Amino acid sequence: MAGPLLQAWGLGAALRSRAALRPLGLLAPPCRELAGPGSGEAALEENPFYGKYRHKIQELRRSSPDVFESRMEKRNEVKKQPVGYSKQGEFIKCMEEKAEDVGTKTSKGGFTKDKTLDSILNVEMVKEKSAEEIKQIWNEYFSAKDTVYAVIPAEKFDLIWKRAQKCPSFLYALPRKEGYEFFVGQWSGTELHFTSLINIQTQGETAPSQLVLYHYPELQEEKGIVLMTAEMDSKFLVVHEAQCLANQVQLFYATDRSQTYELVETFNHRSNEFKYMSVIAELEQSGLGRELRPAQVPDKP
């Protein structure tokens, strides 16, 4: 079932059952301020999520040792860049241009190339329907699919969009059984691309997206709604987790609470003042991702 913020948007997901997670431990993110001294490779291996990416890292080390060493060296250079610096949105567009040359329909990672609203919905036909009817059609269509989707009020998306122009990226915290894994979300047009922070550190500006939120404003003026759906790399994320990341966009970009949005501004414009623990605090206070956190076993008296 969708959480409170999801319901406020009409956001939903077809959720599959999963085993309860073990007790949660607080994880310091693998970001620049916390990386500490030591070799780049050793620092990566100390990351709790290194195991999930070990195969790709080792494959890069074997096939292109020079590239691997270069990227390890560049991890130090990243310290000079804004927190969360990433070009995954631009990378996806670049891959789409290359794919167009060879006549394929998907970008690297299996994401749909040119995922237009017309490819999902008969826009001309639904123009005769009310916003509530369109919302019902959209929700019923995606309710049987293993994905995240939404019908966003026009004024809410307008606020998100204006803020996204000023602050196109942010660091999101995803609860895991090991603690928190951090993802960078970066806007590219009306698409919002997410990739894990460790993925950016190991693959640099070519780090592919692991989740893409597609927003369709075609009906915004006439019907007062913006439709959204998503695609994700199921090797790294399940719907519960993608839903949590998508829901945090509203939490941080559509909030009326100035202290919450200030985190987004700080991340983009005053990175030296940014505190990742503030993101975790906001997330826990909101209750988002609670279903991803294992139930804590009380201590015996």
Side-chain angles (χ1 to χ4, degrees):
M1 180 178 294
L5 292 178
L6 290 175
Q7 292 170 347
W9 270 12
L11 189 63
L15 302 179
R16 294 180 175 175
S17 61
R18 62 183 289 173
L21 299 176
R22 292 193 293 274
L24 185 68
L26 181 62
L27 169 71
C31 60
R32 320 183 249 302
E33 292 87 353
L34 305 172
S39 68
E41 187 174 349
L44 285 178
E45 291 179 357
E46 291 174 2
N47 190 294
F49 297 99
Y50 173 79
K52 188 164 71 171
Y53 301 90
R54 180 184 292 111
H55 176 71
K56 286 188 175 182
I57 295 172
Q58 291 179 345
E59 183 179 346
L60 177 63
R61 184 192 294 138
R62 287 193 301 267
S63 61
S64 305
D66 292 340
V67 174
F68 177 81
E69 291 299 328
S70 175
R71 287 178 181 172
M72 290 301 98
E73 292 175 4
K74 284 184 178 180
R75 293 182 76 238
N76 292 326
E77 297 178 12
V78 174
K79 295 179 182 179
K80 303 175 184 178
Q81 300 167 346
V83 176
Y85 176 79
S86 171
K87 291 185 178 179
Q88 68 267 31
E90 288 75 291
F91 172 64
I92 288 294
K93 288 187 175 296
C94 177
M95 292 305 299
E96 289 177 349
E97 291 172 2
K98 293 179 181 179
E100 187 173 1
D101 292 338
V102 296
T104 60
K105 294 183 179 180
T106 58
S107 60
K108 186 176 181 180
F111 292 97
T112 304
K113 176 181 179 294
D114 297 330
K115 191 176 179 69
T116 63
L117 183 58
D118 278 318
S119 68
I120 306 172
L121 189 69
N122 188 324
V123 178
E124 289 303 317
M125 182 178 294
V126 300
K127 282 184 177 180
E128 302 301 320
K129 299 184 179 297
S130 67
E132 189 59 35
E133 288 173 322
I134 297 172
K135 177 180 177 179
Q136 183 177 354
I137 292 171
W138 191 258
N139 289 342
E140 287 182 356
Y141 176 76
F142 284 105
S143 63
K145 298 182 180 295
D146 205 13
T147 191
V148 176
Y149 54 94
V151 178
I152 308 171
E155 63 277 7
K156 186 73 69 176
F157 181 77
D158 189 54
L159 176 61
I160 292 172
W161 181 243
K162 287 179 179 177
R163 288 176 168 177
Q165 305 310 296
K166 299 176 182 178
C167 302
S169 61
F170 190 60
L171 188 73
Y172 300 84
L174 182 65
R176 299 282 204 184
K177 61 183 179 181
E178 300 91 345
Y180 287 91
E181 183 172 11
F182 286 81
F183 284 75
V184 173
Q186 182 163 326
W187 289 85
S188 178
T190 55
E191 298 176 4
L192 180 52
H193 294 253
F194 291 85
T195 193
S196 66
L197 189 55
I198 189 174
N199 215 20
I200 293 174
Q201 289 178 321
T202 55
Q203 300 190 50
E205 64 182 24
T206 62
S209 301
Q210 293 162 313
L211 169 68
V212 181
L213 304 183
Y214 301 94
H215 300 85
Y216 300 109
E218 286 90 331
L219 302 173
Q220 183 172 6
E221 291 188 9
E222 186 177 347
K223 302 296 182 180
I225 55 176
V226 172
L227 303 176
M228 186 275 278
T229 187
E231 288 184 332
M232 61 187 174
D233 188 337
S234 59
K235 296 191 298 294
F236 297 96
L237 293 169
V238 296
V239 175
H240 301 70
E241 296 161 345
Q243 175 179 319
C244 182
L245 290 172
N247 218 20
Q248 288 183 55
V249 180
Q250 180 182 6
L251 174 65
F252 290 104
Y253 277 85
T255 181
D256 294 327
R257 188 168 178 269
S258 59
Q259 298 95 318
T260 302
Y261 178 62
E262 187 177 359
L263 290 175
V264 181
E265 293 181 309
T266 302
F267 183 85
N268 283 268
H269 304 297
R270 302 184 304 279
S271 60
N272 60 315
E273 300 175 16
F274 182 77
K275 294 180 174 58
Y276 75 94
M277 281 300 299
S278 297
V279 175
I280 294 175
E282 287 289 338
L283 184 63
E284 292 184 344
Q285 181 179 344
S286 73
L288 287 178
R290 185 179 290 120
E291 72 281 1
L292 299 177
R293 303 186 186 108
Q296 298 293 333
V297 179
D299 296 331
K300 294 183 180 181

